Amino acid sequence: MNDSFPQGTAWIDGKFVKLSEAKISILDWGFLRSDATYDVVHVWKNNFFQLDKHIDRFFESTKKLRMPCQITRNELKIILAKCVKNSGFENAYVEMIQTRGVSPNFDRDPRKATPNVMAFAVPFGWILKPKDFEIGLDVYLTDIKRIPASSIDPTIKNYHWMDLVTGMFKAYEKGHHTALLVDEHNNITEGPGFNIFCVDETGIITPDTGVLEGITRQTVFNLAIELEINISKKPISAENLKKSKELFATSTAGGIMPITKISGDIIGLGNVGNITRQIHKLYWQKHSDSNWITPINNILK
Amino acid sequence: MNDSFPQGTAWIDGKFVKLSEAKISILDWGFLRSDATYDVVHVWKNNFFQLDKHIDRFFESTKKLRMPCQITRNELKIILAKCVKNSGFENAYVEMIQTRGVSPNFDRDPRKATPNVMAFAVPFGWILKPKDFEIGLDVYLTDIKRIPASSIDPTIKNYHWMDLVTGMFKAYEKGHHTALLVDEHNNITEGPGFNIFCVDETGIITPDTGVLEGITRQTVFNLAIELEINISKKPISAENLKKSKELFATSTAGGIMPITKISGDIIGLGNVGNITRQIHKLYWQKHSDSNWITPINNILK
């Protein structure tokens, strides 16, 4: 492993190890069939943010995949907290994963495999770095169709990302920051790791179907209600996207991120809009609100 | 690792290891984004079957994923042959894989990762065991839509299998052998690891779009032409599927496999049809035809 290998700690096969030593069998169906689910929670200033919501979704996803997680909520919290503590990170990105595991003698029957739970912590990462907040993201609107819900249930957080990765390549090749995919009706869906929100004269809008039910996406609903801003879920056409007054993306990897350009074309006034600022500000305020956070030291005491 | 762990040899990180020791980093995007491609070739009586065709497709897939394989054809052949030879298998299933690899510092840009090539051999496996040939497969026709080509290019052999695995669970729960998925128009697509063929009064038909361009699928075209049987690609509705005179599945994992029931309902006369038998017989005859096979010892001499 070279020096640029991400620092961090993992929990795998029941043990804590350096992240560079955390490996899975190449026969794990989580790799050979992407038969796995995961969730990512972040830690800011030694506090988990909305930890129980991420664990709720993770447990739900494992049930939907017919492999309900056998680790209890408290055990999982301790594992995640130790991954961060052992790494020495104040701010971190913590991923919990469950794969289908390895089946005896390469048996094709997924019921014969033993599920495999693991977790790891890496330094906190940003899709849009704070220093670039005022510049905002330039998102390339692709014609790639996000894998539809009729094929893969998007409420199960999954690693079926080849469409998103193809979008990222196209965006990078054309000089944009990241990509946005559409659905079969050419309505907007999501990008690699983020949901999207438009602001128009009626308030805030986000796509209703075919997207991950992001925890940060749900947070925006809670924050908008607190701020008394109208918010709704409905289809968004490419045309309406481009006519938005403001646009922002949401992700555990960076929170609330203004989008100022779509495929290089300026959105609204081309700067960070007022509603985006309000949501962003309140989002970060919640990071010191005891109703929203779980101190790592409380889990480990 | 317990006794039931599959026997075999892998090549990974440039070394040959016991399959039970072959592992990849949990940060490999091949795992965390299923950003990988693969191919599977089989070995029968110490001969690879259609090796160059599998390598052609593998190289094509790596190019389409913008990570052209850096290993030459001859190097790859030697790696695959040694995986089999070191395992001591006469009959084997040999998988070659290329993942996007790990990116420095968990960077989201896939261009920064270093692709990771690996391979492994396991004992030859069958979707339908030879002893059950006369019984045939009972395939459950699901209403699950196979991930469409507008999202994931099916000509890139990929691990996006959650739809197929869900189909397998549904089939097993209802007592069938395996599952068949449909497209957005409810036409037939493919099952987990196999293509499907119908026989009607016009000849042999297989779905034209939204399916893996299987090597065994292409082989059936070559065999049918040699047998002077009419064969074509076109959409197949569920209704036409059930009215077929014969049905068969094709896969590297077992070759030509009769399907005698769809969702428990008898197809045709409920036994193995004449055309299926002819294709099956010629398929296995080709396993001793020097135009179709590559002896392992020739590669390693």
Side-chain angles (χ1 to χ4, degrees):
Chain A
M1 295 298 170
N2 60 36
D3 292 343
S4 65
F5 196 88
Q7 297 301 302
T9 298
W11 180 83
I12 189 163
D13 300 326
K15 291 193 295 277
F16 292 93
V17 297
K18 276 169 62 180
L19 186 51
S20 57
E21 291 163 10
K23 296 183 174 191
I24 60 164
S25 168
I26 61 170
L27 297 195
D28 193 309
W29 296 124
F31 173 48
L32 293 186
R33 282 180 185 155
S34 199
D35 190 2
T37 186
Y38 73 111
D39 220 291
V40 179
V41 57
H42 72 271
V43 169
W44 192 253
K45 295 186 178 170
N46 303 309
N47 299 316
F48 281 105
F49 190 64
Q50 306 207 95
L51 177 58
D52 278 294
K53 288 193 176 173
H54 286 281
I55 292 177
D56 286 344
R57 183 172 62 179
F58 180 64
F59 283 169
E60 270 307 303
S61 292
T62 62
K63 278 183 207 157
K64 288 176 183 169
L65 288 179
R66 294 172 170 80
M67 51 176 184
C69 187
Q70 299 300 307
I71 290 180
T72 67
R73 182 177 295 265
N74 275 339
E75 287 167 347
L76 185 55
K77 283 184 181 180
I78 291 168
I79 289 164
L80 301 176
K82 284 187 177 173
C83 282
V84 180
K85 192 84 175 179
N86 291 352
S87 304
F89 299 142
E90 189 181 345
N91 307 314
Y93 184 88
V94 191
E95 188 152 340
M96 58 202 98
I97 304 170
Q98 183 172 316
T99 69
R100 187 74 61 192
V102 176
S103 61
N105 296 319
F106 215 55
D107 194 304
R108 301 175 73 86
D109 185 341
R111 296 171 303 178
K112 298 202 175 153
T114 306
N116 195 5
V117 184
M118 65 203 78
F120 66 86
V122 287
F124 189 87
W126 305 84
I127 293 178
L128 176 69
K129 291 195 171 65
K131 73 176 176 60
D132 296 324
F133 181 82
E134 296 297 336
I135 300 168
L137 290 168
D138 174 1
V139 178
Y140 180 58
L141 178 60
T142 72
D143 57 0
I144 301 168
K145 316 291 188 208
R146 182 66 180 119
I147 296 172
S150 53
S151 295
I152 307 291
D153 179 353
T155 71
I156 302 171
K157 199 167 161 77
N158 66 73
Y159 290 134
H160 285 45
W161 268 54
M162 202 176 268
D163 50 348
L164 295 165
V165 172
T166 305
M168 287 165 83
F169 268 102
K170 291 193 173 183
Y172 291 143
E173 284 162 4
K174 288 174 182 285
H176 308 291
H177 293 125
T178 185
L180 192 55
L181 274 62
V182 295
D183 68 14
E184 65 272 35
H185 308 295
N186 288 315
N187 288 320
I188 303 309
T189 62
E190 61 190 350
F194 65 86
N195 290 115
I196 190 162
F197 290 79
C198 306
V199 178
D200 68 9
E201 56 289 344
T202 70
I204 305 175
I205 306 161
T206 197
D208 51 345
T209 57
V211 297
L212 174 74
E213 293 179 357
I215 303 291
T216 315
R217 174 176 180 262
Q218 183 53 46
T219 298
V220 170
F221 277 78
N222 299 336
L223 300 177
I225 290 164
E226 187 172 330
L227 290 165
E228 298 182 345
I229 300 167
N230 194 26
I231 185 163
S232 60
K233 295 173 196 170
K234 63 182 184 192
I236 299 169
S237 66
E239 196 184 0
N240 283 340
L241 179 82
K242 290 176 189 168
K243 287 193 297 190
S244 297
K245 295 166 78 174
E246 302 178 28
L247 283 180
F248 60 92
T250 64
S251 173
T252 292
I256 313 298
M257 298 165 288
I259 297 170
T260 51
K261 289 181 181 172
I262 291 289
S263 306
D265 295 334
I266 285 175
I267 296 299
L269 299 174
N271 51 20
V272 182
N274 181 44
I275 286 181
T276 303
R277 280 188 203 282
Q278 288 180 66
I279 298 283
H280 176 264
K281 188 179 171 190
L282 190 55
Y283 174 80
W284 285 102
Q285 281 174 1
K286 296 300 185 191
H287 284 70
S288 50
D289 180 333
S290 61
N291 291 320
W292 292 63
I293 62 177
T294 310
I296 286 181
N297 285 335
N298 283 9
I299 295 171
L300 297 179
K301 77 181 173 197
Chain B
M1 294 297 169
N2 60 37
D3 293 343
S4 65
F5 195 89
Q7 297 301 303
T9 297
W11 180 82
I12 189 165
D13 300 327
K15 291 193 295 277
F16 292 94
V17 297
K18 277 169 61 180
L19 187 50
S20 57
E21 291 164 10
K23 297 184 174 190
I24 60 164
S25 168
I26 60 170
L27 297 196
D28 193 309
W29 296 124
F31 173 48
L32 293 187
R33 282 179 185 156
S34 199
D35 191 1
T37 186
Y38 72 111
D39 220 291
V40 179
V41 58
H42 72 270
V43 169
W44 192 253
K45 297 186 177 171
N46 303 310
N47 299 317
F48 281 104
F49 190 64
Q50 306 208 93
L51 178 57
D52 278 294
K53 288 194 177 173
H54 287 281
I55 293 178
D56 286 344
R57 184 173 61 178
F58 180 64
F59 283 170
E60 270 307 304
S61 292
T62 62
K63 278 182 207 157
K64 287 177 183 169
L65 288 179
R66 296 173 169 80
M67 50 176 186
C69 187
Q70 298 301 306
I71 290 180
T72 67
R73 182 178 296 264
N74 276 338
E75 286 167 348
L76 185 56
K77 283 183 180 178
I78 292 168
I79 289 165
L80 300 176
K82 285 189 176 171
C83 281
V84 180
K85 192 84 175 178
N86 290 352
S87 304
F89 300 141
E90 190 181 344
N91 307 315
Y93 184 88
V94 191
E95 187 152 340
M96 59 203 97
I97 304 170
Q98 182 172 316
T99 69
R100 186 73 61 191
V102 176
S103 60
N105 296 318
F106 214 57
D107 194 303
R108 303 174 73 86
D109 185 341
R111 296 171 303 178
K112 298 201 175 154
T114 306
N116 195 4
V117 184
M118 64 202 80
F120 66 87
V122 288
F124 189 86
W126 305 84
I127 293 178
L128 176 69
K129 292 195 170 65
K131 73 176 177 58
D132 295 325
F133 182 82
E134 295 297 337
I135 299 168
L137 290 168
D138 174 2
V139 178
Y140 180 59
L141 178 59
T142 71
D143 58 0
I144 301 169
K145 316 291 188 208
R146 181 68 179 118
I147 296 173
S150 53
S151 295
I152 306 291
D153 179 352
T155 70
I156 302 171
K157 198 166 162 77
N158 66 73
Y159 290 134
H160 285 45
W161 268 54
M162 202 175 269
D163 49 348
L164 295 164
V165 171
T166 304
M168 288 165 83
F169 268 101
K170 290 192 173 185
Y172 291 143
E173 284 162 5
K174 289 173 182 287
H176 309 290
H177 293 125
T178 185
L180 192 56
L181 273 64
V182 295
D183 69 12
E184 64 271 35
H185 308 295
N186 288 314
N187 288 320
I188 304 309
T189 60
E190 61 189 351
F194 64 87
N195 289 115
I196 189 162
F197 291 79
C198 305
V199 178
D200 69 10
E201 56 288 344
T202 69
I204 305 175
I205 305 161
T206 197
D208 50 344
T209 56
V211 298
L212 175 73
E213 292 179 0
I215 303 292
T216 315
R217 174 176 180 263
Q218 184 52 46
T219 297
V220 171
F221 277 77
N222 299 335
L223 300 177
I225 290 164
E226 187 172 331
L227 291 165
E228 297 182 347
I229 301 168
N230 193 26
I231 185 162
S232 60
K233 295 173 196 169
K234 63 182 183 190
I236 299 168
S237 67
E239 198 183 0
N240 283 340
L241 179 82
K242 290 175 188 167
K243 286 193 296 190
S244 298
K245 295 166 80 174
E246 302 178 29
L247 283 180
F248 60 91
T250 64
S251 173
T252 292
I256 314 297
M257 298 165 288
I259 297 170
T260 51
K261 290 181 179 171
I262 290 290
S263 306
D265 295 335
I266 285 174
I267 296 299
L269 300 173
N271 51 20
V272 182
N274 181 45
I275 287 181
T276 303
R277 281 189 203 281
Q278 290 180 66
I279 298 282
H280 176 264
K281 187 178 173 194
L282 190 54
Y283 174 80
W284 285 103
Q285 281 175 0
K286 297 298 184 191
H287 284 70
S288 49
D289 180 332
S290 62
N291 292 320
W292 291 63
I293 62 177
T294 310
I296 286 181
N297 285 336
N298 283 9
I299 296 172
L300 296 179
K301 77 183 173 196

